[in-house]
Amino acid sequence: MAFTAKDVQNLRERTGAGMMDCKKALTASDGDFDKAVEFLREKGLAAAAKKAGRVAAEGMVYAGVCQECGVGAMVEVNSETDFVAKNEVFQKFVKDLATIVMKENPADLEALKACQYPEEGKTVAEVLTEKVATIGENIQIRRFVRFCEKTQNVAYMHMGGKIGVLVALEVSDNLKGNAVVNELGHDVCMQIAAMNPQYLNRDSVPAEVVEHEKEILMAQTINEGKPEAVAQKIVSGRINKFFEENCLVDQAFVKENKTSVSKYVDAKAKELGGTISIKNFVRFEKGEGLAKREDDFAAEVAAMAKK
C-alpha cells in the first residue's frame, strides 16, 4: 500500500516520533497507518518522542582528557530528574559521548548525533532514543566543547558532574606533559569552578560590555555627588574592579588570594624553568539557563500509582 508525505506528517503528529522514523514505520507496514503506530510503539520510538517535550534540566556534566592523544572534551547531557543522573547506564552514556567528541571532532550537535556509537553499530541519535525509552525520561544532549592536542588540557568535575571545567594551557616544549603543570591546571580549574569568571582576560571582554559597565559606574558616581570631571577618574579606577572580578587571569587566586591567577601561573612557570599561559577555558554548570520543572516528582509518581 502506497503512502504520501501527508501520511508521514499525520503519523508524526499522532506519535511524536521523528520524520524519518515515521517513514520507516510506514514502509515496514506497507502504508498501513495503524500497523505503523504499532511498529513505532514496539520500537519504543513513539514513547521516546513524546517524552522529548518534557523539561530536562537535571543530568550531568562530564569533562575528560584522552590519555593517549591529549585531546580534551566536555559534554552536558540533561535528564528530567537528578535520580536518573545517578544511574550508571546514564553516566556511561555521557562519558561515551565525551570519548566520541574527542575522537570524531563533530562540528555541532547534529554531527555528534550522526556519529557512530562505540560497540553498538548504531548512531548516537539511535542510542539516545533507546536510552529515553529504557530509562523512561526525556534525555537531551545539550552542548559540548573540544580542545585539541596542541595545548596541555586539564579537566575537572565538581560535585559529581554539577559543574565541569576544561582548561587549555600553552606551555613551552620542556614542560609538556609535566605533572606539576597538570597540578597547576587542576588548581586553575578549581578557581574557575568556584569563581565563575566570564572572560579569560581584559582583551576578551567585548567593547560594548566595557562601555555599558562604564555607563553604570558613571551614573553611580555622579549619583554620589561627584563632579563629572572627577567622576571620569573614579570610573577609570572602578572599571579595574570589574576586570578583577570577571576576568580569570585578573582574579585573586583562591589558594593564595594576595596574588592574581596570572601572577601565580607566571611564578610557577619561572620555578619550573619554562613558560605557561592560560590559552582558553570553558565552564559548564548543569542546567544553567534552563527552566526547572516545578512539579513535585514524588507527587506525580503517587498520582500515577492511584490510576
Side-chain angles (χ1 to χ4, degrees):
M1 187 187 302
F3 61 89
T4 66
K6 184 64 176 177
D7 294 325
V8 176
Q9 181 64 29
N10 289 339
L11 183 60
R12 185 184 187 192
E13 290 174 357
R14 176 168 168 180
T15 65
M19 190 72 77
M20 291 305 298
D21 289 322
C22 289
K23 186 176 180 180
K24 288 178 183 177
L26 285 165
T27 301
S29 307
D30 293 325
D32 187 300
F33 195 86
D34 291 333
K35 287 183 179 179
V37 171
E38 288 302 311
F39 176 91
L40 290 171
R41 289 185 62 193
E42 288 169 5
K43 296 291 185 181
L45 296 173
K50 286 183 177 180
K51 290 181 178 73
R54 305 203 310 230
V55 175
E58 295 296 337
M60 71 176 288
V61 174
Y62 178 79
V65 176
C66 177
Q67 296 301 310
E68 290 77 25
C69 66
V71 171
M74 182 164 61
V75 298
E76 179 184 357
V77 181
N78 299 121
S79 59
E80 294 179 57
T81 66
D82 187 50
F83 178 77
V84 164
K86 297 173 183 176
N87 181 301
E88 290 184 4
V89 174
F90 177 84
Q91 292 177 356
K92 181 181 183 302
F93 176 65
V94 179
K95 292 175 183 177
D96 285 345
L97 290 180
T99 300
I100 293 169
V101 170
M102 291 176 194
K103 293 182 177 179
E104 302 298 332
N105 191 18
D108 52 30
L109 284 174
E110 289 306 309
L112 172 58
K113 290 178 181 178
C115 289
Q116 287 295 116
Y117 195 86
E119 302 175 6
E120 291 280 350
K122 301 173 183 176
T123 65
V124 169
E126 289 171 332
V127 174
L128 173 62
T129 298
E130 290 179 354
K131 299 298 181 191
V132 173
T134 56
I135 292 175
E137 285 194 10
N138 181 18
I139 298 172
Q140 295 288 334
I141 305 170
R142 185 185 184 193
R143 52 185 172 170
F144 69 87
V145 65
R146 181 183 187 273
F147 288 169
C148 73
E149 67 281 0
K150 292 181 180 179
T151 49
Q152 189 156 328
N153 304 310
V154 183
Y156 172 73
M157 283 172 44
H158 182 66
M159 294 180 65
K162 180 180 179 181
I163 295 172
V165 178
L166 198 60
V167 165
L169 301 174
E170 198 166 62
V171 302
S172 52
D173 289 342
N174 65 316
L175 295 184
K176 288 182 178 178
N178 188 297
V180 178
V181 175
N182 278 332
E183 184 179 339
L184 170 65
H186 183 265
D187 288 341
V188 173
C189 284
M190 292 180 68
Q191 169 89 23
I192 295 164
M195 304 307 294
N196 193 18
Q198 300 301 300
Y199 309 99
L200 174 60
N201 51 36
R202 300 183 184 209
D203 290 340
S204 63
V205 184
E208 60 269 21
V209 172
V210 177
E211 287 306 310
H212 180 63
E213 190 64 24
K214 285 182 177 179
E215 289 172 6
I216 293 172
L217 291 172
M218 177 62 77
Q220 290 175 348
T221 308
I222 290 176
N223 287 338
E224 291 168 2
K226 303 291 193 297
E228 187 169 343
V230 176
Q232 291 281 3
K233 294 181 180 179
I234 294 174
V235 168
S236 295
R238 288 182 177 177
I239 195 67
N240 285 325
K241 183 67 174 176
F242 169 81
F243 290 132
E244 289 168 5
E245 291 176 350
N246 291 279
C247 297
L248 171 62
V249 298
D250 289 331
Q251 286 183 338
F253 189 49
V254 289
K255 294 186 74 173
E256 293 186 23
N257 60 15
K258 292 185 179 179
T259 188
S260 68
V261 170
S262 62
K263 288 181 179 178
Y264 183 85
V265 171
D266 289 344
K268 185 62 68 173
K270 185 176 181 181
E271 178 185 315
L272 295 172
T275 60
I276 307 170
S277 63
I278 304 170
K279 186 73 173 177
N280 197 4
F281 76 90
V282 177
R283 179 187 188 273
F284 284 173
E285 185 166 347
K286 176 192 70 178
E288 60 186 341
L290 294 176
K292 302 285 185 178
R293 60 183 291 170
E294 297 179 357
D295 57 310
D296 185 335
F297 186 70
E300 180 183 322
V301 173
M304 290 174 65
K306 293 177 181 179
K307 292 180 180 180

